[in-house]
Amino acid sequence: MKQVGFYGFTALGLLLFPFAIHPIGGYPGLATEILIVGIAAIGFNLLLGYAGLLSYGQAMFYGVGSYMALLTVQRFFPQWPSIWLSLLVAIVFVTVMALVIGLLTVRLYGIYFALLTLAFAQMFYFIVFQWKSLTRGDDGLQVITNATLQLGFTSIDLTRTFPDFELGPFGNLHDVHYWYAFAAIITLVVLAFMRALIRSQFGEILAAIRENEERSTFVGFDPLRYKVAAFTIAGMLTGLSGGLKGLYEASTGVDTLSIDMSGSFVIFAVVGGIKTLFGPLVGTGLIMYLQNVVSGNPVFGNGWRLIEGLIFVAVIVFLPGGLLGSFKKKRAHAALANAVRVSPVEGRP
Amino acid sequence: MPGQLLDGFIRGLLYVAIALGLTIVFGMLRLVNFAHGAFYIIGAYVGLVVTEHVGLLAGIIAAPIAVALFAIAFDFALLRRFYDKEPTAQILVTFGVAIVVEETLRLIFTGTTRTYVVPAWVQGSLNLGFTQYPTYRIAFGLGVIVLVIAVWLFIQRTNYGLIVRAGVRDRTMVQLLGGNVRQASTVIFALGAALAGLVGAAASPIYSIDPGKGFEFLVPSFVVVVIGGLGSFWGAVLGGLLVGELQSLTTLFLPAASDLVIYVAMALVLLVKPSGLFGESEVIRG
């Protein structure tokens, strides 16, 4: 029943999302971008929220993912323009990269881990920046992708839009590209995967390691293996996110690997709420939506990042659990209060 | 070639001056301060405004005072809530404040690159025998060397310095012995900030000013303190000079790798000896 509730609730939310943001100044394309970037934030949450690892270099997976997906179309396999193939190449490459970097980095703790991931991200940034023959350096890649989505016998051009259908204040169905549907389905799969992962034994052991690494070692778990696994999975999701970004925009640039981008993933996840399933997605949506609305405003146009910073600081200080996390905590408190109230009836202290 | 080496040395001294504040704050507060670059850039803009209205010396004096006051306010208003939290929470709050500062400055001063003119007595260049070199850069270099010695004397010779040195080793014990660690923490935090502000004002005629400069210099300063050892005084000094020369020499021989190389060095140090070349190994699990 709960399973059905989760899928129903999430699917409904994803279905309504591109129309719900229309009356408040958003547009369906923004919804697509939010979902794509949100997948990386969801992956980051596995690190900071569940494994307690503050990675300050997630942009390296995001950026490399976007480059790999586009290079697959442009350079590696131009004869097979396929979204699946591009995503596969991006994911496989980034996953291996995350595994290797994870093996090297997770031995360190706290700030040392954060600084080492930052160092690796900077290395990849400058490699991509300087490898001009492949990446075109500062100019970035603009690829005319004719990549389509193969589904059995047919193939779908994701840049097409849905048929014309007026929805009043919620815009027009015609404004929504197939890309949104594709991103939404992937987001649903990613959320289901994360939900299963967190509830699995793996998720519990990860939480145990975060709370008390020494004790979890005594009980017989090798913390390093679990942390490497978490780092690799987070990298994989970030690579998927980057690959989607590249294919969706048909372009990418070295900015995708910047420290600012790494910082953005931190902000998105923390604002929405780490240790919650939907928090990172909500945080990504909120910040990217505000960025879009504010930067379109002639008065505050330049100030959107100030607003982002202010929200971030306010959340850290006043809502340490993030928007969703604090809400969850209140519910947990209420549940606890209830439990205490009813317990004498059952004869327990 | 000697000019390149000297450029590297001066840039190294800039890193030293920024990293010094970073490392003493880490030593005392166990805090990796992502807002340290924000202190630098506040100092730079205060220096800019005061220099334009009064003069360069006034600017260089006003900047560290203004930044120290800002740091004390920041400490009282926000940072104190995070003293006892895990290090990741401290990174997040300083990172947030860094964004707010940078963007506020961008709103006030716009994003255009600014610089200010230095007075006549430090314009021009000096003949050093092997090369002609801008006078202001030489003055800046000498100033940083004096600064390093002054900070070292402060830590070695004053009561605050004593609490700092002891606090680095064992905070709780210092508190038990009656040392006011909390107050000393604020003083050190303000001192570290003032150093960054001072450098911000003094270095801007050389490296120009824009709101992103703080973060731009902060990241190499992380490299410096990591290589030297987080919390290590002389580590920051030698690390800074090393990173400056490393960048300068690779710019000369292998320009494509000049940015890459320092991060490779940083990663290698963290992988092989996370406590840095001059740090104490006990701090790693902090």
Side-chain angles (χ1 to χ4, degrees):
Chain A
M1 189 57 217
K2 255 193 151 170
Q3 195 87 348
V4 177
F6 163 76
Y7 281 107
F9 171 74
T10 313
L12 187 69
L14 291 169
L15 198 65
L16 298 178
F17 183 37
F19 310 105
I21 65 168
H22 191 272
I24 52 172
Y27 56 95
L30 178 65
T32 312
E33 286 171 33
I34 288 172
L35 294 188
I36 288 175
V37 176
I39 291 170
I42 293 169
F44 175 74
N45 185 26
L46 183 66
L47 284 182
L48 182 59
Y50 296 99
L53 293 166
L54 174 56
S55 164
Y56 225 89
Q58 288 307 96
M60 63 181 145
F61 305 124
Y62 182 72
V64 169
S66 73
Y67 275 91
M68 289 309 283
L70 287 181
L71 286 172
T72 305
V73 186
Q74 193 192 36
R75 288 282 181 96
F76 304 151
F77 303 104
Q79 66 275 35
W80 296 314
S82 156
I83 301 253
W84 295 124
L85 181 66
S86 288
L87 285 180
L88 185 73
V89 171
I91 292 172
V92 169
F93 187 87
V94 172
T95 306
V96 173
M97 180 177 145
L99 175 67
V100 174
I101 294 173
L103 283 168
L104 293 170
T105 52
V106 300
R107 289 182 301 118
L108 297 182
Y109 297 88
I111 45 175
Y112 292 90
F113 173 80
L115 289 172
L116 185 55
T117 50
L118 186 146
F120 273 110
Q122 286 294 90
M123 282 157 62
F124 278 96
Y125 176 89
F126 286 111
I127 289 170
V128 169
F129 186 77
Q130 293 290 350
W131 196 344
K132 297 197 167 75
S133 60
L134 190 70
T135 64
R136 303 208 16 239
D138 212 8
D139 297 336
L141 289 179
Q142 287 87 33
V143 177
I144 303 158
T145 57
N146 40 2
T148 52
L149 191 74
Q150 279 81 25
L151 281 177
F153 300 106
T154 60
S155 64
I156 300 171
D157 178 6
L158 290 179
T159 55
R160 279 177 51 201
T161 61
F162 284 98
D164 187 63
F165 189 83
E166 188 57 42
L167 293 164
F170 300 103
N172 192 316
L173 189 59
H174 183 66
D175 298 333
V176 183
H177 293 253
Y178 282 10
W179 255 111
Y180 179 78
F182 184 56
I185 290 166
I186 291 186
T187 305
L188 185 63
V189 172
V190 167
L191 284 168
F193 169 70
M194 276 299 286
R195 184 170 179 265
L197 198 66
I198 295 159
R199 292 170 171 226
S200 70
Q201 199 194 12
F202 174 79
E204 281 170 19
I205 295 169
L206 214 53
I209 293 168
R210 182 191 69 220
E211 295 307 327
N212 192 333
E213 180 156 343
E214 228 167 28
R215 191 178 296 167
S216 67
T217 314
F218 289 147
V219 183
F221 299 114
D222 178 5
L224 289 187
R225 278 178 53 190
Y226 286 88
K227 286 198 218 170
V228 169
F231 193 86
T232 310
I233 294 169
M236 180 185 78
L237 291 175
T238 315
L240 166 66
S241 161
L244 286 169
K245 176 250 179 294
L247 292 166
Y248 172 65
E249 291 176 4
S251 71
T252 191
V254 75
D255 279 356
T256 54
L257 288 103
S258 66
I259 296 186
D260 285 347
M261 196 70 225
S262 289
S264 289
F265 293 133
V266 177
I267 294 175
F268 294 161
V270 169
V271 166
I274 54 167
K275 299 183 200 175
T276 66
L277 184 60
F278 293 98
L281 201 55
V282 170
T284 309
L286 178 74
I287 304 278
M288 285 181 66
Y289 162 73
L290 284 177
Q291 173 188 357
N292 186 267
V293 172
V294 174
S295 60
N297 183 308
V299 183
F300 299 107
N302 296 320
W304 78 265
R305 204 158 167 260
L306 176 61
I307 294 170
E308 179 186 16
L310 288 171
I311 292 175
F312 181 55
V313 172
V315 165
I316 298 168
V317 174
F318 299 113
L319 298 171
L323 296 176
L324 291 196
S326 305
F327 171 67
K328 202 170 100 180
K329 203 179 255 173
K330 260 188 198 140
R331 267 203 333 201
H333 277 307
L336 193 67
N338 268 332
V340 171
R341 230 177 288 133
V342 298
S343 58
V345 182
E346 293 170 9
R348 281 197 233 108
Chain B
M1 178 72 191
Q4 282 283 342
L5 280 176
L6 205 52
D7 275 348
F9 186 66
I10 298 292
R11 183 170 269 267
L13 284 172
L14 170 73
Y15 290 153
V16 170
I18 300 175
L20 214 53
L22 211 51
T23 204
I24 61 173
V25 166
F26 179 83
M28 186 67 203
L29 285 81
R30 284 286 171 273
L31 169 79
V32 172
N33 185 11
F34 272 61
H36 198 67
F39 295 155
Y40 172 94
I41 199 64
I42 295 174
Y45 276 108
V46 170
L48 173 76
V49 171
V50 177
T51 302
E52 279 178 353
H53 289 93
V54 189
L56 179 67
L57 277 183
I60 289 178
I61 293 166
I65 296 170
V67 175
L69 292 175
F70 175 79
I72 291 168
F74 171 34
D75 186 51
F76 272 93
L78 284 178
L79 206 55
R80 288 194 163 208
R81 301 161 186 255
F82 292 87
Y83 275 4
D84 305 322
K85 298 252 174 80
E86 69 266 42
T88 47
Q90 300 176 341
I91 292 180
L92 294 182
V93 71
T94 56
F95 172 54
V97 168
I99 295 176
V100 171
V101 167
E102 181 178 330
E103 296 306 317
T104 306
L105 290 172
R106 200 183 299 278
L107 273 190
I108 301 172
F109 294 96
T110 75
T112 42
T113 303
R114 305 276 287 270
T115 186
Y116 40 88
V117 185
V118 296
W121 55 276
V122 276
Q123 277 178 6
S125 60
L126 284 180
N127 190 351
L128 295 177
F130 56 93
T131 182
Q132 284 282 119
Y133 208 71
T135 313
Y136 188 79
R137 287 183 178 231
I138 296 169
F140 174 77
L142 292 174
V144 172
I145 293 170
V146 172
L147 194 68
V148 168
I149 295 169
V151 173
W152 190 73
L153 287 176
F154 174 80
I155 292 175
Q156 290 299 318
R157 296 287 160 83
T158 64
N159 273 336
Y160 271 117
L162 185 67
I163 295 176
V164 174
R165 277 178 290 140
V168 170
R169 292 187 177 275
D170 193 339
R171 267 184 90 99
T172 324
M173 185 53 87
V174 175
Q175 257 159 342
L176 287 174
L177 291 173
N180 192 341
V181 175
R182 180 143 282 199
Q183 195 191 38
S185 292
T186 305
V187 170
I188 289 301
F189 190 66
L191 175 70
L195 286 173
L198 177 62
V199 185
S204 292
I206 306 176
Y207 300 102
S208 77
I209 315 169
D210 68 75
K213 264 292 188 288
F215 209 73
E216 192 186 315
F217 282 138
L218 176 70
V219 181
S221 302
F222 281 153
V223 179
V224 169
V225 291
V226 162
I227 289 178
L230 274 166
S232 160
F233 184 90
W234 293 111
V237 175
L238 292 169
L241 295 176
L242 199 70
V243 168
E245 289 299 351
L246 204 58
Q247 266 191 329
S248 215
L249 289 178
T250 40
T251 308
L252 192 62
F253 294 113
L254 193 62
S258 67
D259 291 303
L260 181 65
V261 69
I262 66 170
Y263 297 102
V264 174
M266 176 182 180
L268 280 178
V269 168
L270 281 170
L271 287 170
V272 178
K273 194 168 181 290
S275 55
L277 301 181
F278 304 93
E280 292 172 36
S281 52
E282 54 180 328
V283 297
I284 296 175
R285 290 206 58 157

